[in-house]
Amino acid sequence: MGSGGMVVMDETDCMVDIARFFLEFTVDESCGKCTPCREGTKRMLEMIERITEGKAEYEDLDRITSLADTISSTSLCGLGQTASTPVVSTMHYFFDEYQAHVVDKKCPALHCKELISFFIESTCIGCLRCKRECPVSCISGEVKERHVIDQTACIKCGNCFDVCPVSAITKS
Ligand code: SF4
Ligand code: SF4
Ligand code: SF4
């Protein structure tokens, strides 16, 4: 990526979010001299963010492709000319992931916060650990009883998932 380094990822890495990460870097680095890079990358980042939040429509995928062409062919220097590459490349090789976000409103890697939910399964032993670690106190339950997450209050921080000693919390 960029410097010639290699980035190793697995199925828990969301390729749309990876594209967002690299595009965010380009937006920060743009010097602002030319409009396609200065404004185009910002608009593209907004569209990618909408995809990771499950708010995009299918037509956004065509808009992104068209905007990528414009940015790469009209920017003044290499930064703008290659700014869209992570997006174009991930769309080419992982289009199914983009489709899942846009059409099914799902993140196959279970990475994008707005598109996942946490649930407590029947294997819960009622140890109270998740309840103590939840920053918004949206887990209820008594000791040695199955706990429950209030989905309307959960902010998807993942603390409960990380601390459960018996892996009774799943995300989907
Ligand atoms: S393409 Fe180059 S010159 Fe144009 S705004 Fe981006 S960094 Fe600046
Ligand atoms: S994901 Fe975070 S906010 Fe949601 S229930 Fe678990 S600890 Fe609480
Ligand atoms: S941490 Fe796991 S076992 Fe303990 S109460 Fe929460 S879900 Fe149940």
Side-chain angles (χ1 to χ4, degrees):
M1 271 294 183
S3 59
M6 182 182 286
V7 182
V8 179
M9 301 175 205
D10 65 13
E11 68 280 1
T12 63
D13 291 297
C14 169
M15 299 315 291
V16 184
D17 191 60
I18 292 293
R20 183 201 58 74
F21 173 80
F22 282 105
L23 192 58
E24 203 171 51
F25 172 78
T26 309
V27 168
D28 283 346
E29 290 296 304
S30 173
C31 77
K33 185 175 179 180
C34 59
T35 309
C37 174
R38 185 185 67 242
E39 300 300 326
T41 55
K42 286 196 189 97
R43 299 293 85 79
M44 185 179 283
L45 180 60
E46 287 168 3
M47 283 194 270
I48 295 288
E49 284 173 344
R50 280 207 300 277
I51 294 176
T52 61
E53 293 166 359
K55 296 175 183 166
E57 50 191 31
Y58 205 79
E59 289 70 24
D60 282 329
L61 299 178
D62 291 334
R63 292 185 189 114
I64 288 171
T65 305
S66 170
L67 183 56
D69 276 349
T70 303
I71 295 171
S72 59
S73 60
T74 57
S75 290
L76 282 178
C77 82
L79 188 130
Q81 287 157 10
T82 58
S84 313
T85 304
V87 176
V88 173
S89 178
T90 51
M91 280 183 85
H92 179 73
Y93 290 106
F94 302 96
F95 193 67
D96 55 326
E97 290 201 30
Y98 280 84
Q99 274 186 312
H101 285 73
V102 174
V103 180
D104 306 327
K105 308 298 180 193
K106 297 274 182 199
C107 174
L110 299 177
H111 178 88
C112 295
K113 267 187 178 184
E114 283 79 358
L115 301 179
I116 60 171
S117 298
F118 291 86
F119 297 97
I120 298 179
E121 304 292 340
S122 59
T123 47
C124 168
I125 56 173
C127 71
L128 307 179
R129 279 179 75 173
C130 58
K131 196 173 170 181
R132 281 199 296 266
E133 297 294 331
C134 180
V136 292
S137 303
C138 72
I139 300 177
S140 58
E142 299 302 321
V143 65
K144 294 189 179 172
E145 286 180 6
R146 181 179 180 178
H147 285 36
V148 177
I149 294 173
D150 177 356
Q151 298 295 334
T152 59
C154 173
I155 58 169
K156 325 278 179 73
C157 72
N159 284 1
C160 55
F161 184 83
D162 293 337
V163 300
C164 180
V166 293
S167 301
I169 299 181
T170 55
K171 52 181 172 177
S172 62

